[in-house]
Amino acid sequence: MEQTRVFLLKEIWPTVKDEDQMSHDAYHCKRFLNTFPWPTQRDKNYQHFGQVFDANNEPIYRHIKKILNVSNPIKCRPKEHPDWIHG
């Protein structure tokens, strides 16, 4: 997962950052241009976009625990849903 993030940040983002693009992020919504809160609430199982699964197609729970240990910033929550503390 980390390699994917580094690749996107170093290789893809410089190409599209000034273009007409939009993204959703529950934790860093003010870090990049045209980034907005997720329009839907995270499922109760806390699985997430970009989640990593093991060879048996089971979620890697240490990633989910990271989400549970940190609430997302209020500015990264939909205005009509300030109670969505994990995106």
Side-chain angles (χ1 to χ4, degrees):
M1 180 66 180
E2 184 61 24
Q3 291 175 331
T4 300
R5 187 172 26 240
V6 169
F7 171 76
L8 291 172
L9 188 60
K10 289 186 175 184
E11 302 296 329
I12 303 300
W13 183 248
T15 303
V16 301
K17 70 179 181 180
D18 297 323
E19 301 295 323
D20 188 19
Q21 53 77 30
M22 182 190 82
S23 61
H24 295 284
D25 193 310
Y27 290 87
H28 305 285
C29 66
K30 300 300 179 189
R31 184 172 175 190
F32 299 107
L33 180 68
N34 293 327
T35 304
F36 302 93
W38 282 96
T40 57
Q41 188 174 24
R42 188 179 304 276
D43 287 339
K44 297 299 180 198
N45 62 12
Y46 296 101
Q47 292 186 10
H48 55 280
F49 183 79
Q51 182 172 339
V52 179
F53 293 83
D54 66 17
N56 297 314
N57 204 30
E58 294 293 325
I60 296 179
Y61 287 101
R62 70 177 183 269
H63 296 175
I64 294 173
K65 288 179 184 176
K66 287 181 183 179
I67 293 171
L68 295 176
N69 289 333
V70 179
S71 295
N72 64 324
I74 291 175
K75 66 184 177 184
C76 293
R77 302 174 193 176
K79 290 178 184 173
E80 61 277 1
H81 294 288
D83 57 317
W84 292 0
I85 63 170
H86 297 297

